[in-house]
Amino acid sequence: MEVLLIGVGVVGTVYGAQLASAGHHVSVLSHGRRTDEVRRDGLACHHVNEATPQRCAVTVVADVAGAYDLVLVAVRADQIRTAMEPLWLESCADPAISAFETALSHRGFEVTRTADMEGWLIYHAVFVASISAALYRHAVDPVALADDHALVMLMCRAIEEGFRALRRNGVEGAPLNLRVLHHRVLRPFAARYWSRTMRSPTGERIFAAHARHAETEMLTLAILVMDRLHDAPDIDALRRLLNLKPL
């Protein structure tokens, strides 16, 4: 499969490296210093449980001329319009999506297809923005967050409120695991779950490290969430958390 990758930050690098490792030909659109590094060193993907990063050779291209089976645009939301301008897209054949899913699955990724990507993204925006905002209250120290029971409870309540407001607005696409966990009845269980997670290596690797190095993106997510839900009733906890008001 011929793959064009636009954007080689963290997300683009992970997907590009996995596809290249699975035997697909990956081309990266050139856009400055980062792609100069990719041209020289390839894409390096470092698994958290392995000491040595895996490097994969890719081709850096100057423009989007050519035919590709799959185009991955891995940029921030505010960059999508610019990134998409040079592309001429036709309807994506299902075999390309199936090959993408197979490549990720064989590399150990859990893959779920959704018919409502916009909905899936906004639910995750509520989830990620809330966790990041809680981490920022404790200088992005996941263990300190885990020890702050009141803040963990506020975080869980904020996620519940955001999910409930989206459902009231008819937004579908909520991931099943998060939808079940973040229900009012299960809030004490969710709080214990997240406290335990934040004390584990996962708290640092998946949540704190991301929040620490992506403050601009986390702020963008918080703004997006509040813009989407600005007139929603019963989201006091979400407003408190994302506006970073004192507890």
Side-chain angles (χ1 to χ4, degrees):
M1 186 166 63
E2 289 289 332
V3 180
L4 175 64
L5 177 59
I6 301 176
V8 278
V10 174
V11 173
T13 296
V14 168
Y15 284 131
Q18 301 308 321
L19 286 167
S21 296
H24 301 290
H25 182 247
V26 177
S27 297
V28 175
L29 181 63
S30 180
H31 63 280
R33 186 173 62 185
R34 170 62 180 141
T35 39
D36 289 340
E37 297 172 358
V38 171
R39 183 182 291 105
R40 183 184 67 243
D41 302 326
L43 291 177
C45 189
H46 194 166
H47 192 281
V48 294
N49 294 323
E50 297 175 359
T52 304
Q54 180 179 12
R55 295 190 179 276
C56 305
V58 297
T59 302
V60 177
V61 296
D63 54 47
V64 298
Y68 297 93
D69 301 298
L70 182 68
V71 178
L72 295 179
V73 182
V75 299
R76 298 196 310 266
D78 59 318
Q79 299 173 326
I80 288 179
R81 184 179 297 275
T82 301
M84 296 290 287
E85 282 178 355
L87 298 177
W88 176 265
L89 300 177
E90 297 179 358
S91 297
C92 183
D94 187 69
I97 299 298
S98 297
F100 182 37
E101 180 178 359
T102 299
L104 295 179
S105 297
H106 286 175
R107 298 295 297 170
F109 285 78
E110 182 177 342
V111 180
T112 302
R113 290 199 190 192
T114 177
D116 188 351
M117 195 65 204
E118 290 296 325
W120 188 94
L121 287 171
I122 190 61
Y123 277 103
H124 273 78
V126 169
F127 170 68
V128 173
S130 296
I131 290 182
S132 297
L135 282 165
Y136 291 141
R137 298 287 186 96
H138 283 291
V140 203
D141 182 341
V143 176
L145 171 58
D147 291 337
D148 189 338
H149 179 70
L151 182 55
V152 173
M153 289 291 283
L154 177 67
M155 180 186 81
C156 292
R157 181 182 160 197
I159 296 171
E160 292 167 26
E161 291 177 350
F163 283 12
R164 187 166 59 247
L166 290 171
R167 287 196 302 272
R168 285 174 178 168
N169 288 339
V171 179
E172 299 182 357
L176 178 60
N177 58 339
L178 295 181
R179 187 172 73 239
V180 171
L181 179 62
H182 289 288
H183 187 281
R184 183 180 302 168
V185 175
L186 294 179
R187 189 183 304 163
F189 174 81
R192 289 194 297 272
Y193 172 83
W194 288 116
S195 292
R196 187 166 60 248
T197 298
M198 290 300 163
R199 289 191 182 95
S200 73
T202 297
E204 171 59 33
R205 291 171 179 168
I206 294 181
F207 296 101
H210 195 171
R212 188 177 300 116
H213 296 288
E215 290 190 39
T216 300
E217 288 81 357
M218 295 303 103
L219 176 60
T220 299
L221 279 183
I223 292 171
L224 183 153
V225 168
M226 295 314 301
D227 283 349
R228 182 70 176 264
L229 301 177
H230 69 279
D231 59 352
D234 303 325
I235 59 167
D236 294 341
L238 186 63
R239 287 194 174 97
R240 288 176 65 194
L241 190 62
L242 297 193
N243 288 337
L244 300 181
K245 293 180 179 179
L247 292 172

